[in-house]
Amino acid sequence: IRDLIDLKLYVDTPDDIRFIRRLRRDMNERGRTQESVIKQYLEVVRPGHYEFIEPTKAYADLIVPEGGANEKALEVVASFMKDILA
């Protein structure tokens, strides 16, 4: 499938930021307890990330550090998208 994709992106967000976002979202939007979010993160989410998500970084054409806050990387992606749509 990778060969069919024109541009492979990997959005690299630090572990602590990913966890904090998940904790806030799951508590505020899903009504979960802090303990249930922590338990799921440690038992399922974190191990799954390192087994399935992190390895895909090696195949990325562009690694976007600092998540969506990286304006330079977003400019590169926007330029690429404009070229495709033109």
Side-chain angles (χ1 to χ4, degrees):
I1 293 175
R2 283 186 202 103
D3 293 336
L4 301 173
I5 300 171
D6 292 327
L7 180 66
K8 294 171 287 300
L9 300 175
Y10 185 92
V11 179
D12 197 8
T13 303
D15 294 348
D16 58 341
I17 300 300
R18 288 195 319 269
F19 172 72
I20 291 167
R21 288 176 181 168
R22 173 177 285 273
L23 180 65
R24 286 182 178 158
R25 182 200 63 208
D26 285 6
M27 291 180 68
N28 294 333
E29 297 177 17
R30 299 178 178 171
R32 297 184 56 202
T33 66
Q34 179 178 330
E35 284 305 314
S36 74
V37 176
I38 292 170
K39 182 178 187 316
Q40 180 190 39
Y41 183 82
L42 292 175
E43 294 177 3
V44 178
V45 176
R46 188 172 189 275
H49 172 81
Y50 286 109
E51 184 175 353
F52 300 109
I53 306 301
E54 184 76 20
T56 66
K57 186 176 183 178
Y59 301 100
D61 297 314
L62 178 64
I63 298 171
V64 181
E66 301 304 321
N70 186 323
E71 290 186 29
K72 294 289 185 189
L74 294 176
E75 288 173 14
V76 170
V77 173
S79 175
F80 179 81
M81 295 300 292
K82 286 178 186 174
D83 288 345
I84 286 179
L85 297 173

